[in-house]
Amino acid sequence: MAAFFDRLDPEHTEFIGQQLVFFTASAATTGRLNLSPKGMDAFRVLGPSTVGYLDLTGSASETSAHLLDDNRFVIMFCSFGPDPLILRLYGSGRAVHLGSEEGRALAPSFGGADSELLPGARQLIMMDITSVQTSCGFGVPIFEGGTERQQLRKWANAKVRMGELESYWEDRNSTSIDGLPTGIG
């Protein structure tokens, strides 16, 4: 049975810390919805009502565009282990550029100075939580193991070495697939 909370409690935070993957969902007022899987060591709980993740370079930047248009945001974690649970965070989201004063202040919480962040770090996506929901997760399969893929790290490191990461952002990440501005590039 689903239960709602006003904020994260220590059990929720512990559960989040054990998950290898999370999912984000956003939508602009028009156009497509976006649901994205995220991984790596990118997510941080900064307080009972504040979370964020290090947004890494990808083929698009739908979340940034959607949050500029309509800041409604959902993040979901689900257990793939033997103890079932689904945890959803509802709230408002916003993109924080790493070069901004706020981005520089937050960067240490996500791995240190800019040079120590995960390769291809593009921005931070921050969320102010308005509601937390837990539900059973009985229908989610159990998966053993799980290792981090290395392709994104290798790709981003190569783009950085060749000085091509920012031009990639301008070419591929400056607008959403529906043509909305992302604030990137």
Side-chain angles (χ1 to χ4, degrees), residues 27-180:
T29 52
T30 62
R32 301 166 219 244
L33 303 172
N34 184 60
L35 174 63
S36 292
K38 306 290 182 185
M40 304 176 81
D41 183 26
F43 195 87
R44 299 291 185 273
V45 174
L46 301 176
S49 297
T50 306
V51 297
Y53 67 90
L54 188 61
D55 184 46
L56 305 174
T57 300
S59 57
S61 188
E62 301 308 294
T63 302
S64 296
H66 291 170
L67 295 179
L68 282 172
D69 184 70
D70 183 338
N71 68 1
R72 294 173 305 145
F73 197 41
V74 178
I75 299 174
M76 185 189 84
F77 296 86
C78 60
S79 171
F80 294 106
D83 297 324
L85 182 66
I86 296 172
L87 178 95
R88 289 182 183 90
L89 308 177
Y90 296 94
S92 58
R94 62 192 171 83
V96 176
H97 296 277
L98 291 167
S100 70
E101 185 176 328
E102 183 182 14
R104 288 188 301 275
L106 287 167
S109 297
F110 293 85
D114 291 333
S115 62
E116 298 168 4
L117 295 173
L118 289 169
R122 185 168 52 188
Q123 62 193 344
L124 299 169
I125 302 294
M126 302 301 298
M127 177 187 223
D128 294 321
I129 297 169
T130 57
S131 181
V132 176
Q133 178 198 24
T134 59
S135 58
C136 68
F138 292 167
V140 177
I142 296 172
F143 290 107
E144 296 295 325
T147 58
E148 191 176 282
R149 297 177 193 267
Q150 296 302 309
Q151 287 94 330
L152 182 59
R153 286 179 189 270
K154 291 176 183 175
W155 178 88
N157 281 329
K159 288 283 187 197
V160 168
R161 275 193 309 275
M162 294 184 291
E164 297 175 352
L165 189 58
E166 289 183 10
S167 64
Y168 181 89
W169 293 342
E170 287 179 30
D171 293 342
R172 302 285 299 271
N173 294 165
S174 62
T175 60
S176 74
I177 56 177
D178 291 320
L180 298 171

